Amino acid sequence: MLIQRSTDYPAIRQLLMDERAYLRMANDDAPKPSEFPEDLSGDLEYVTASDAKGLTAVFVLVFIRERAAEIHFCFHPRVWGSTLAIAREFLSWLWHETGIATAIGPIPGYNKLALKLANRAGF
């Protein structure tokens, strides 16, 4: 698994806009897919996870204060059975490769799968 910062916005956007993935990722405040911005560059930082078959996950880092980031995640449907291992690998990368000391995963209470994943992964 290769985890790295990425500016490959077309690939990131393609995964974020995958209908199946979007339904599992989006919360009440998320824009509708038709309103999702074309240009993803800006204040957000994107981290991707890839394997031999391609992109497996996108992690979006929203910096909320010094050394603290809100983390949003989106997994490719082909890896839905392996999301815990990918999330744990991402968190290990996060602690070793960034100055972030606090990672927050805001998850709506109705998204039980995401809540379970975040808790089991170590958020």
Side-chain angles (χ1 to χ4, degrees), residues 17-117:
M17 294 293 86
D18 178 287
E19 186 176 321
R20 296 166 297 163
Y22 192 86
L23 289 173
R24 288 197 177 191
M25 170 192 66
N27 63 23
D28 292 338
D29 297 329
K32 295 176 184 170
S34 61
E35 299 169 355
F36 208 82
E38 286 288 329
D39 182 10
L40 297 178
S41 64
D43 294 341
L44 304 177
E45 187 169 312
Y46 299 91
V47 176
T48 57
S50 302
D51 63 13
K53 295 180 181 178
L55 197 61
T56 61
V58 172
F59 300 91
V60 182
L61 284 60
V62 181
F63 294 93
I64 53 176
R65 62 179 185 274
E66 186 176 341
R67 300 191 60 196
E70 185 177 294
I71 312 293
H72 299 270
F73 46 88
C74 181
F75 294 94
H76 193 289
R78 74 176 168 80
V79 298
W80 282 349
S82 306
T83 57
L84 179 58
I86 297 167
R88 285 181 173 161
E89 203 165 329
F90 162 74
L91 282 175
S92 177
W93 178 92
L94 184 76
W95 305 139
H96 290 96
E97 301 296 328
T98 72
I100 294 172
T102 303
I104 299 166
I107 300 168
Y110 58 79
N111 192 338
K112 302 295 185 201
L113 284 175
L115 186 58
K116 182 178 177 181
L117 173 64

